[in-house]
Amino acid sequence: MIQAIVFFPLVGALIAGLLGRIIGHRTSEYITTGLLIAAAVLSWIVFAGYWLAPEAAGEAGGHAEATKVVVLSWIHSGSLQLDWVLRVDTLTAVMLVVVTTVSSLVHLYSIGYMADDPHRSRFFAYLSLFTFAMLMLVTADNFLQMFFGWEGVGLASYLLIGFWYTRPSANAAAMKAFVVNRVGDFGFLLGLFAAFVVLGGHLDFDGAFHAAEGLKGNLPTMQFLSWNIDAMTVVCLLLFMGAMGKSAQFLLHTWLPDAMEGPTPVSALIHAATMVTAGVFMVARLSPLFDLSPTAMTVVMLIGAITAFFAATVGLVQNDIKRVIAYSTCSQLGYMFVALGAGVYSVGIFHLFTHAFFKALLFLGAGSVIHAMHHEQDMRNMGGLRTKIPVTYWMMIIGTLALTGVGIPGTPLGFAGFFSKDGIIEVAYAAGASTGYIAFWALVIAAMFTSFYSWRLIHLTFHGQPRPGPAHGHGDQAHEDHGHAHGSAHDNAHESPPVMLVPLFVLAVGAVLAGVVFNDQFFGHAEHIEHFFAGAVVVSESVLDAAHHVPLWVKWSATIAMLIGFAVAWYMYMVDTRAPKRLAEQNAGLYQFLLNKWYFDELYDRIFVRPALWLGNALWKGFDDWLVDRTLTEGLGDRVRDVTSRVVKLQSGYLYHYAFAMLIGIAALLTWALTAGGLF
């Protein structure tokens, strides 16, 4: 069953990729989607075993042995013995459900969304390859297997973001995602090497965790210049650098919004369940290592808090419907890392779990809006769509309620995001010290901003009067026309076909129920969490217990912030619709600062891109062009040609010239011989 879950997507990718032109697009769609749905069903069966009967995996509340399936013999070199093993424990089971469920629904949705694309067999092959790489990552039993999946999702994301390769913007976005992730992956690779050294040559997780347990109280240090640095801190920070790239954390976040150049189903897959959650999963999987380094945990929490706040501020002013949701993803990933940095890994995974449902719902809902508006993505050209696409409207409302965390504190009443996001805010406060309080206030303010830009999206898109816009926008398709009637985009708006709406219904169920149903397993009492995870992650009982006993105002802080954000958005976009323009004009500098994403792209362009281009041009023109081509290659060739052009003149073609030269040669030879013999 476990092997089927992992390899079904690979089989689908190979069939659609290699045989797509032979069997046809429709057959490729059905095969890949059917295999993903089968993998999702099997994943829920596996997850049910850990959810309903965790004692089946081992002793209740104890450190159960993970289920391991050996696929093949891999690296056997001296003391390094690594097989290719699929590791399944509670953490893996949660990720299997998230990845396969969202991916199967994205496949189903894409049958309708990509119906007019002439290359959709290739698209479905890439989707399935992406899913396979992510499944390899979450089932890894050692660092090298994880790195294989880690790089696999990076490659697949490059292929998917740049799927419409005839568009320069898509190519640039795909390359940007690839390069930025290589920066983080370089840190991850260094961390892997450092872990191998510090942990006594162990690359398998069980061996590494056992070695880390033996280091408690006697952590090794390393010398750098005049400082003694904790070796485990170095290992964890390097590994976290990889997580910053994959999960688009502050400073390595710039690739994520540009990834919107890919088709909308790609956005849902990358931003909800797969690539961006890889960093969160990795930190949770390696929690026994991170737990040994309070410094690294502090850095994780601070970076998460800064990311949550930063991305929320940028989302306030974005006009592209997909970019608003993209910055929301970036912000929510910050929440997850705050929980991980506080040492309550289960709550970070809880938000990963709930976020997958409502964020995929929002992205696919946005795709339905774009489909209805004939591929228009600018919210300023929308409005009044509530009556045109009512099903999509209510699905987006459910996703927004889950994202903003609507619920009543202290009760089981609330949407999915309410339980997980509020839990993280309470954990941040419970972590205490200056770092915890900074993170707490950053998350509360981010919650207010999240509510504002989420309801701003709803009001601009679905409410108010229709605003004029082109019938075919700038955005989400490679074709200019798909048979739609000419006229305004609003006049021709239409509801999506059932194959696109059914995934929305399924995700809406998760957005409503995932929080209340699984709250106890992820954010209940410590013994319940230990019972559920059975040693898959470290459980910090002290912080967890403190989070359950925070003051009442802390429990209500996120709800109050959410209500403030909703009220401001309602006033500015429903009551006084000229207020946003006035506010932007009165604060032009701040507005441009946020609209340009804190100028990070411009800053990186000046610091990294331009110097790199200058150096590249200098090496090209100075070294390659002048030294290699002109001096060595062409220069030597020219000199040889000059010499030979003179030498060749000695061969005149006249017989008497050659006879005369021979006589001169014979005379010179006789002269030398007679001189050498002493006759002269």
Side-chain angles (χ1 to χ4, degrees):
M1 186 184 296
I2 293 169
Q3 292 187 65
I5 293 170
V6 174
F7 290 107
F8 273 178
L10 178 61
V11 172
L14 292 174
I15 292 174
L18 300 177
L19 304 177
R21 294 184 180 181
I22 299 174
I23 62 179
H25 296 306
R26 185 64 67 187
T27 306
S28 298
E29 293 171 350
Y30 289 162
I31 289 175
T32 54
T33 305
L35 288 171
L36 256 297
I37 292 174
V41 171
L42 295 176
S43 296
W44 277 99
I45 294 173
V46 171
F47 176 70
Y50 290 90
W51 173 29
L52 302 176
E55 64 276 1
E59 296 181 6
H63 290 254
E65 290 292 330
T67 301
K68 296 186 179 183
V69 179
V70 180
V71 177
L72 53 85
S73 179
W74 193 24
I75 299 175
H76 289 215
S77 176
S79 61
L80 183 61
Q81 304 288 320
L82 290 179
D83 291 327
W84 199 280
V85 178
L86 303 181
R87 176 194 184 99
V88 179
D89 52 18
T90 307
L91 179 60
T92 306
V94 171
M95 295 301 298
L96 289 178
V97 164
V98 169
V99 173
T100 57
T101 301
V102 174
S103 183
S104 61
L105 294 174
V106 167
H107 275 72
L108 183 62
Y109 180 93
S110 299
I111 293 176
Y113 192 86
M114 302 294 288
D116 297 319
D117 195 284
H119 307 291
R120 55 188 185 276
S121 290
R122 178 167 58 88
F123 179 76
F124 278 83
Y126 289 169
L127 284 182
S128 292
L129 179 64
F130 198 126
T131 307
F132 167 71
M134 189 65 188
L135 291 174
M136 289 306 304
L137 193 158
V138 301
T139 57
D141 188 49
N142 57 67
F143 283 99
L144 292 186
Q145 265 183 258
M146 178 177 280
F147 188 70
F148 172 84
W150 194 267
E151 294 301 299
V153 294
L155 169 64
S157 68
Y158 169 80
L159 297 173
L160 285 169
I161 295 169
F163 177 73
W164 287 321
Y165 56 84
T166 56
R167 291 162 48 180
S169 58
N171 290 330
M175 188 62 72
K176 185 176 182 179
F178 196 82
V179 171
V180 173
N181 272 279
R182 295 293 73 72
V183 175
D185 294 352
F186 178 67
F188 182 83
L189 198 56
L190 290 178
L192 189 154
F193 296 151
F196 178 77
V197 174
V198 173
L199 299 175
H202 291 287
L203 285 178
D204 63 295
F205 290 147
D206 287 338
F209 297 159
H210 181 73
E213 185 75 19
L215 293 176
K216 283 186 176 180
N218 188 29
L219 294 176
T221 60
M222 58 175 58
Q223 189 80 19
F224 180 74
L225 299 179
S226 60
W227 298 302
N228 281 324
I229 304 174
D230 177 16
M232 192 55 66
T233 297
V234 174
V235 170
C236 293
L237 289 179
L238 288 171
L239 293 171
F240 179 61
M241 184 176 170
M244 289 175 64
K246 275 289 180 289
S247 296
Q249 292 300 283
F250 186 70
L251 300 179
L252 293 180
H253 65 278
T254 52
W255 68 269
L256 192 67
D258 289 11
M260 297 301 97
E261 288 294 334
T264 296
V266 173
S267 304
L269 194 60
I270 291 177
H271 291 72
T274 52
M275 184 170 172
V276 294
T277 60
V280 178
F281 167 80
M282 184 267 287
V283 175
R285 169 62 78 206
L286 302 180
S287 57
L289 305 186
F290 279 84
D291 214 47
L292 295 178
S293 176
T295 303
M297 300 282 280
T298 301
V299 172
V300 171
M301 179 183 280
L302 281 176
I303 292 293
I306 293 170
T307 304
F309 175 80
F310 155 75
T313 62
V314 178
L316 295 173
V317 298
Q318 297 301 305
N319 297 311
D320 186 305
I321 187 171
K322 287 172 64 177
R323 282 183 177 265
V324 173
I325 305 174
Y327 277 107
S328 168
T329 297
C330 194
S331 182
Q332 297 305 306
L333 289 165
Y335 277 83
M336 298 176 203
F337 279 108
V338 168
L340 299 178
V344 188
Y345 302 93
S346 62
V347 181
I349 297 299
F350 188 23
H351 198 49
L352 184 158
F353 182 73
T354 59
H355 176 264
F357 292 104
F358 60 73
K359 189 51 60 69
L361 175 60
L362 286 171
F363 264 116
L364 296 185
S368 184
V369 171
I370 295 167
H371 183 269
M373 291 292 288
H374 309 169
H375 311 295
E376 173 62 60
Q377 293 181 206
D378 195 325
M379 296 184 297
R380 294 171 295 184
N381 297 327
M382 300 181 187
L385 290 176
R386 180 168 56 90
T387 56
K388 289 282 188 176
I389 47 175
V391 176
T392 299
Y393 168 70
W394 285 109
M395 294 300 100
M396 290 288 283
I397 287 291
I398 291 174
T400 301
L401 292 172
L403 170 62
T404 56
V406 174
I408 303 175
T411 71
L413 301 176
F415 289 80
F418 164 73
F419 293 94
S420 58
K421 188 166 76 171
D422 283 32
I424 292 174
I425 291 174
E426 292 166 18
V427 162
Y429 183 87
S434 57
T435 307
Y437 295 135
I438 290 171
F440 167 75
W441 286 111
L443 297 187
V444 170
I445 296 172
M448 180 175 64
F449 291 164
T450 300
S451 179
F452 174 83
Y453 65 64
S454 297
W455 290 109
R456 171 179 178 265
L457 183 152
I458 295 294
H459 296 325
L460 282 176
T461 305
F462 296 102
H463 296 152
Q465 296 299 317
R467 290 176 291 279
H472 301 287
H474 59 275
D476 206 11
Q477 190 52 280
H479 315 297
E480 290 299 321
D481 199 350
H482 304 278
H484 299 306
H486 292 285
S488 74
H490 181 273
D491 292 340
N492 296 319
H494 54 86
E495 189 63 89
S496 299
V499 72
M500 293 173 62
L501 295 179
V502 169
L504 299 184
F505 299 148
V506 177
L507 291 168
V509 173
V512 173
L513 298 178
V516 65
V517 172
F518 296 102
N519 184 57
D520 192 51
Q521 281 77 16
F522 292 93
F523 190 47
H525 295 293
E527 60 269 20
H528 294 169
I529 297 174
E530 289 179 345
H531 185 75
F532 177 63
F533 278 97
V537 298
V538 173
V539 179
S540 177
E541 296 187 18
S542 58
V543 179
L544 192 61
D545 184 65
H548 289 304
H549 296 90
V550 295
L552 188 61
W553 69 269
V554 174
K555 291 181 178 292
W556 277 91
S557 59
T559 300
I560 294 171
M562 177 269 297
L563 293 173
I564 293 173
F566 169 79
V568 174
W570 179 79
Y571 175 79
M572 293 179 69
Y573 293 95
M574 294 296 291
V575 178
D576 185 3
T577 55
R578 295 183 179 181
K581 185 176 181 181
R582 290 199 308 270
L583 194 62
E585 291 173 348
Q586 293 168 3
N587 303 274
L590 178 61
Y591 177 74
Q592 288 299 321
F593 180 71
L594 297 180
L595 190 64
N596 288 283
K597 304 157 288 189
W598 290 27
Y599 291 102
F600 269 103
D601 283 309
E602 291 78 3
L603 183 66
Y604 287 173
D605 182 65
R606 287 184 177 274
I607 296 176
F608 301 113
V609 178
R610 292 187 186 181
L613 287 174
W614 179 87
L615 180 62
N617 284 325
L619 290 174
W620 165 43
K621 294 179 179 179
F623 179 79
D624 188 60
D625 192 33
W626 178 79
L627 180 62
V628 176
D629 289 343
R630 296 184 184 179
T631 304
L632 297 180
T633 307
E634 296 178 2
L636 288 176
D638 290 342
R639 300 296 77 77
V640 170
R641 188 164 51 248
D642 293 341
V643 172
T644 54
S645 65
R646 290 178 174 85
V647 171
V648 76
K649 293 178 180 179
L650 298 175
Q651 298 180 348
S652 63
Y654 293 107
L655 184 61
Y656 61 86
H657 285 174
Y658 300 152
F660 180 73
M662 290 172 64
L663 289 173
I664 294 296
I666 292 172
L669 182 62
L670 289 173
T671 301
W672 174 81
L674 293 173
T675 303
L679 298 179
F680 293 117

